[in-house]
Amino acid sequence: MDLDGRVALVTGASKGIGEVIAIRLAVAGAKIAVNYRTDLEGASRVVDAISASGGTAIAIGADVSVEAEAASLVKEVIDTWETVDILVNNAGITRDKLLIRMSPEDWDEVITVNLRGTYLCTRAVLAHMMRQRHGRIVNVSSVVGLSGNPGQANYAASKAGIIGFTKAMAREVASRSITVNAVAPGYITTAMVEQLPEEARQSILARVPMARFGTPEDVAEVVAFLCTEGAGYVTGQVIGIDGGLAV
């Protein structure tokens, strides 16, 4: 997959799925803006890994849920490389609790980071992408945005909102050759899954037809494809990366 000459902004890219997406896009030839909120050490590690492999990357700190910071983030990317061709809205958090115990703060924080952050970053890149009549936007949703999950009402609502947002935006900007798609990962081997008790892990695996957890690389490969010219006629889609869990 060839992304030579492209500039990609990946939010929440200091670790986990975002880190692997950033590195995968760099391998394909894109210059990468590695966004982080608080983890400068992690973001610097990702930049170093990309640079060590011959790629080009910078780390930019910003809270994507804050309007001024999201706008400044995109401006810094454009000031550095004169363009932004790819946006991967990956930044997200969880505050898992049963709804009866979920505080308004738990609800608001997840919705604000996951959904508002996606909105703000997308809005910030749109004017530039529309002027250049080209762009790739990939939003990271989740299988729970499709199926729900006990204890994750806030997270499921935010990820379902991202799906609706993706479809609406795809319709709005298709005439400018900008594609907007979403990926919906299932259970991926990130720190959150690895910390689950073994009994819980086995219970999850019993529901996955492929009988294994996904990897961040599984997600990154799909995201990378959606960013290429070969995916130019793919828009408004939600691609499950879940081993068949949502079938």
Side-chain angles (χ1 to χ4, degrees):
M1 286 182 276
D2 185 5
L3 295 175
D4 284 347
R6 299 299 188 189
V7 171
L9 166 58
V10 184
T11 68
S14 63
K15 59 185 176 182
I17 292 173
E19 172 183 355
V20 177
I21 289 172
I23 291 171
R24 180 64 184 88
L25 296 181
V27 168
K31 297 174 183 176
I32 309 296
V34 177
N35 163 250
Y36 67 96
R37 181 168 63 165
T38 58
D39 188 9
L40 173 58
E41 181 179 354
S44 298
R45 186 189 68 249
V46 177
V47 169
D48 289 345
I50 291 171
S51 299
S53 298
T56 302
I58 57 172
I60 307 177
D63 183 340
V64 298
S65 70
V66 177
E67 181 179 2
E69 293 192 35
S72 177
L73 167 63
V74 172
K75 183 178 185 299
E76 185 168 345
V77 177
I78 295 173
D79 287 347
T80 301
W81 290 313
E82 299 184 344
T83 188
V84 57
D85 305 293
I86 296 163
L87 169 64
V88 180
N89 283 307
N90 169 75
I93 63 170
T94 58
R95 296 290 183 268
D96 295 351
K97 291 176 184 174
L98 293 175
L99 189 67
I100 198 168
R101 298 191 182 98
M102 186 179 292
S103 69
E105 291 76 20
D106 293 328
W107 176 272
D108 289 344
E109 188 172 4
V110 170
I111 297 295
T112 298
V113 173
N114 298 5
L115 187 53
R116 177 181 166 89
T118 295
Y119 148 70
L120 287 174
C121 289
T122 301
R123 191 182 68 166
V125 302
L126 269 188
H128 180 81
M129 287 184 175
M130 291 175 76
R131 281 195 300 269
Q132 69 184 12
R133 301 188 71 87
H134 182 276
R136 298 285 184 267
I137 299 172
V138 182
N139 300 320
V140 179
S141 181
S142 169
V143 67
V144 305
L146 297 166
S147 62
N149 199 39
Q152 290 193 306
N154 49 1
Y155 186 73
S158 71
K159 294 301 186 177
I162 285 172
I163 290 171
F165 177 81
T166 296
K167 291 179 178 291
M169 288 311 308
R171 288 180 174 272
E172 284 192 22
V173 299
S175 65
R176 300 299 183 99
S177 298
I178 301 168
T179 66
V180 187
N181 293 288
V183 294
Y187 289 95
I188 307 298
T189 52
T190 59
M192 182 175 69
V193 169
E194 290 171 353
Q195 290 170 5
L196 290 172
E198 183 60 24
E199 182 179 351
R201 288 167 59 90
Q202 292 305 315
S203 176
I204 292 167
L205 284 176
R207 295 187 283 123
V208 179
M210 292 194 75
R212 71 170 177 88
F213 292 113
T215 67
E217 288 76 13
D218 290 326
V219 179
E221 287 297 326
V222 178
V223 172
F225 167 70
L226 292 172
C227 294
T228 64
E229 291 306 300
Y233 201 57
V234 179
T235 197
Q237 303 304 304
V238 182
I239 301 177
I241 310 169
D242 61 10
L245 180 62
V247 172

